[in-house]
């Protein structure tokens, strides 16, 4: 499989299952309505693991522009492929969000909360404070990149590494995600936010473009910080 196609499909799968669990928890009339934050965090971690299992052999399964940038900075990925990977991830996230919309089609109309509908697609802060929200995304993403680089230098039983990465994402969600919803992935937020803006969702309200730069810029800064700090203190 072409590695760019791998990133597209892997990110599509990630968003289909990740945003899918958010839809199940937040939209009215689903079997999993009000299942809670733990359900969301665990499911996102499992979605990451499955995405890695699915396309890791073909593309390395970054599934996240912040991961691609962090690995390039750390010398573990070619800069020449970075833009292509990022575009593939954005495309996969966009299409994955459309599939979530289709899957939950009857539930949009019966859900009256416009904020809940947006939250299916994109992250948002618990308390809106741009500086604090940006710091939250920087911190969470730097831990993600730091953790991925640590995991990468350890030996695991074959097939176990994707599960460990999924646990890392779940732990970041539980420990650090309560402030902004832990985007930690520009494609995960931007692609679905664009889908929210153009899809015919009844009563959907604003796509909150005023906040949208934070889950893009924050993870990029966090990826750079995580990779640089790892290189300074732990690189041989």
């Amino acid at each position: 499989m072409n590695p760019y196609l791998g990133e597209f499909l892997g990110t599509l799968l990630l968003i289909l299952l990740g945003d899918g669990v958010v839809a199940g928890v937040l939209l009215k009339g689903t079997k999993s309505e009000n299942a809670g934050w733990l359900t969301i965090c665990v499911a996102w971690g499992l979605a990451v693991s499955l995405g890695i299992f699915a396309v890791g052999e073909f593309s390395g399964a970054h599934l996240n522009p912040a991961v691609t940038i962090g690995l390039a900075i750390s010398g573990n990925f070619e800069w020449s492929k970075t833009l292509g990977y990022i575009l593939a991830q954005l495309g996969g996230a966009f299409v994955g969000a459309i599939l979530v919309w289709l899957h939950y089609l009857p539930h949009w109309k019966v859900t009256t909360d416009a904020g809940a509908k947006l939250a299916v697609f994109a992250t948002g802060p618990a308390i809106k404070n741009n500086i604090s929200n940006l710091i939250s995304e920087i911190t969470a993403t730097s831990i993600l990149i730091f953790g991925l680089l640590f995991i990468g230098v350890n030996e695991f039983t074959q097939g176990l590494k994707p599960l460990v990465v999924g646990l890392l994402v779940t732990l970041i969600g539980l420990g650090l995600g309560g402030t902004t919803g832990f985007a930690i992935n520009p494609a995960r937020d931007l692609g679905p936010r664009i889908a929210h803006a153009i899809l015919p969702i009844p009563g959907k309200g604003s796509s909150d473009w005023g906040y949208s730069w934070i889950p893009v810029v924050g993870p990029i800064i966090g990826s750079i910080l995580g990779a640089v700090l790892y290189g300074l203190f732990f690189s041989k």
Side-chain angles (χ1 to χ4, degrees):
M1 183 186 294
N2 179 284
Y4 301 106
L5 178 59
E7 284 299 297
F8 175 87
L9 293 176
T11 310
L12 185 157
L13 186 61
L14 170 67
I15 298 303
L16 175 59
L17 297 173
D19 280 1
V21 71
V22 179
V25 171
L26 296 183
L27 297 182
K28 294 297 181 182
T30 73
K31 297 285 187 178
S32 54
E33 185 180 352
N34 298 320
W37 185 243
L38 178 60
T39 299
I40 290 173
C41 291
V42 170
W44 268 105
L46 291 173
V48 168
S49 294
L50 184 59
I52 297 171
F53 276 124
V55 302
E57 179 182 354
F58 308 107
S59 70
H62 299 182
L63 316 182
N64 180 344
V67 172
T68 299
I69 292 169
L71 291 178
I73 290 172
S74 66
N76 292 295
F77 187 68
E78 307 98 309
W79 278 106
S80 62
K81 295 181 179 179
T82 299
L83 179 59
Y85 263 50
I86 291 172
L87 292 175
Q89 292 153 2
L90 282 168
F94 175 76
V95 175
I98 292 175
L99 294 177
V100 172
W101 169 70
L102 286 170
H103 186 81
Y104 285 93
L105 200 57
H107 297 272
W108 303 105
K109 188 174 182 179
V110 298
T111 303
T112 59
D113 185 349
K117 294 175 186 178
L118 175 59
V120 171
F121 294 89
T123 61
I127 298 176
K128 197 160 190 175
N129 180 302
N130 284 351
I131 294 176
S132 178
N133 302 152
L134 184 64
I135 290 171
S136 290
E137 287 294 332
I138 291 171
T139 302
T141 311
S142 66
I143 295 299
L144 172 67
I145 302 304
F146 214 66
L148 289 176
L149 292 171
F150 271 124
I151 291 169
V153 298
N154 283 276
E155 295 293 331
F156 292 91
T157 302
Q158 187 176 4
L160 184 60
K161 190 173 289 187
L163 296 176
V164 176
V165 174
L167 286 172
L168 171 63
V169 172
T170 296
L171 183 57
I172 289 172
L174 292 173
L176 302 173
T179 53
T180 61
F182 75 115
I184 61 174
N185 181 341
R188 171 264 174 275
D189 193 276
L190 182 58
R193 195 182 295 268
I194 294 172
H196 176 272
I198 68 174
L199 286 171
I201 303 169
K204 66 180 178 181
S206 168
S207 299
D208 196 10
W209 290 107
Y211 177 79
S212 65
W213 66 274
I214 290 176
V216 172
V217 174
I220 291 174
I221 296 173
S223 71
I224 296 169
L225 182 62
V228 168
L229 288 177
Y230 182 86
L232 284 175
F233 295 106
F234 296 99
S235 181
K236 293 181 180 179

